[in-house]
Amino acid sequence: MYKDKFVSVIIAAAGQGKRMNSKVNKQYLKLCNKPVLAHTIDIFEKCSWVDEIIVVTHSNEIEYCKENVIKVYGFKKVIRVIAGGSTRQESVFNGLKSVDKRCSIVMIHDGARPFIREEYILNSIDEAVKYKAVGIGVYVKDTIKVVDEDGYIVNTPDRKFLWAIQTPQTFDYDLLMKAYEKAIKEGFLGTDDTSLVERINQKVKMIMGSYDNIKITTPEDLYIGEAILKSREN
């Protein structure tokens, strides 16, 4: 444990989850009779290296989140539940502005990704102390094709250089804030947090994650998620 490092976790849970075809946002759907978001928070709550958790949710769901997730499951490390923005990037930035002033390492994690294991959290923090910016992911299994606007294949990248990125993504706090402030100033919208850091010429260290660290996105993912949880119990 790094006693001199204050670790904050920002859980992005403000997405609408339109692909789920549900009136309830995907973070609050039940997975083995427990909300997806509760599963996610629980892993970080139990991690001794994590000092605080900030949950960023939709403005209309703040009280719902507090009453039906934070209070029901007794999460003590969740210091704040705050409103997100119109994009994931804006939501995470709101979270960055809300962390404790002592924060030196910050982790960004998807609320709908409830299967991250503690070992990967610890490894991410450890590597972030060394390299300042860390992404976690897995090698792609399929052959990837680059296709032009007319639908013709123009390139087949070597799979050994291709990763599917996951979360948590872990950073030196000051570095990530610098990357976010630059992106906002220049009107850049990235698809993840590492892309913002790449823009300020900071190398991002990739570490191996797990293929079961899936994101709950479609109804089928709930069935897969239940199978993952049951296999872990066994």
Side-chain angles (χ1 to χ4, degrees), residues 31 43 113-117 212-214 216 225 228-229 232:
L31 188 62
I43 302 163
R113 201 180 287 271
F115 308 111
I116 184 66
R117 298 175 187 265
D212 64 7
N213 183 24
I214 67 169
I216 302 296
I228 292 171
L229 290 177
R232 291 184 179 183

Side-chain angles (χ1 to χ4, degrees), residues 129-148:
V129 172
K130 299 175 186 175
Y131 300 105
K132 293 193 173 185
V134 175
I136 188 170
V138 291
Y139 289 111
V140 298
K141 295 180 179 180
D142 299 321
T143 296
I144 304 299
K145 299 290 185 178
V146 179
V147 180
D148 66 18

Side-chain angles (χ1 to χ4, degrees), residues 10-188:
I10 297 171
I11 296 181
Q16 296 297 306
K18 295 179 180 178
R19 282 175 287 181
M20 189 58 73
N21 296 321
S22 171
K23 294 180 180 179
V24 179
N25 277 351
K26 59 185 178 182
Q27 291 88 354
Y28 304 109
L29 291 173
K30 294 293 181 68
L31 188 62
C32 291
N33 296 315
K34 184 176 179 179
V36 170
L37 182 58
H39 283 286
T40 304
I41 295 173
D42 194 48
I43 302 163
F44 292 94
E45 175 84 15
K46 293 176 178 177
C47 182
S48 61
W49 286 19
V50 171
D51 294 294
E52 70 168 358
I53 301 169
I54 309 294
V55 176
V56 186
T57 191
H58 193 277
S59 59
N60 294 334
E61 297 174 338
I62 291 176
E63 292 306 315
Y64 181 90
C65 181
K66 288 180 178 178
E67 290 297 319
N68 295 278
V69 178
I70 312 306
K71 185 176 179 180
V72 168
Y73 295 94
F75 294 127
K76 304 298 183 184
K77 289 184 180 180
V78 179
I79 307 303
R80 296 180 186 86
V81 179
I82 65 171
S86 58
T87 64
R88 182 185 185 278
Q89 186 168 305
E90 187 177 336
S91 295
V92 172
F93 187 56
N94 288 350
L96 288 172
K97 293 184 290 184
S98 301
V99 301
D100 191 287
K101 292 181 179 180
R102 294 171 292 173
C103 176
S104 54
I105 298 293
V106 62
M107 309 188 82
I108 315 299
H109 189 68
D110 297 323
R113 201 180 287 271
F115 308 111
I116 184 66
R117 298 175 187 265
E118 185 181 51
E119 62 187 278
Y120 297 112
I121 296 172
L122 299 178
N123 193 23
S124 294
I125 295 171
D126 192 41
E127 296 295 279
V129 172
K130 299 175 186 175
Y131 300 105
K132 293 193 173 185
V134 175
I136 188 170
V138 291
Y139 289 111
V140 298
K141 295 180 179 180
D142 299 321
T143 296
I144 304 299
K145 299 290 185 178
V146 179
V147 180
D148 66 18
E149 59 186 14
D150 295 319
Y152 292 101
I153 295 172
V154 295
N155 188 23
T156 305
D158 190 332
R159 278 190 305 186
K160 70 180 180 181
F161 299 115
L162 299 177
W163 291 66
I165 194 75
Q166 301 176 344
T167 65
Q169 296 179 7
T170 312
F171 308 90
D172 172 271
Y173 175 77
D174 292 335
L175 173 70
L176 188 59
M177 275 299 289
K178 179 181 177 181
Y180 260 83
E181 288 168 351
K182 180 178 175 63
I184 291 169
K185 182 179 179 180
E186 298 177 355
F188 175 80

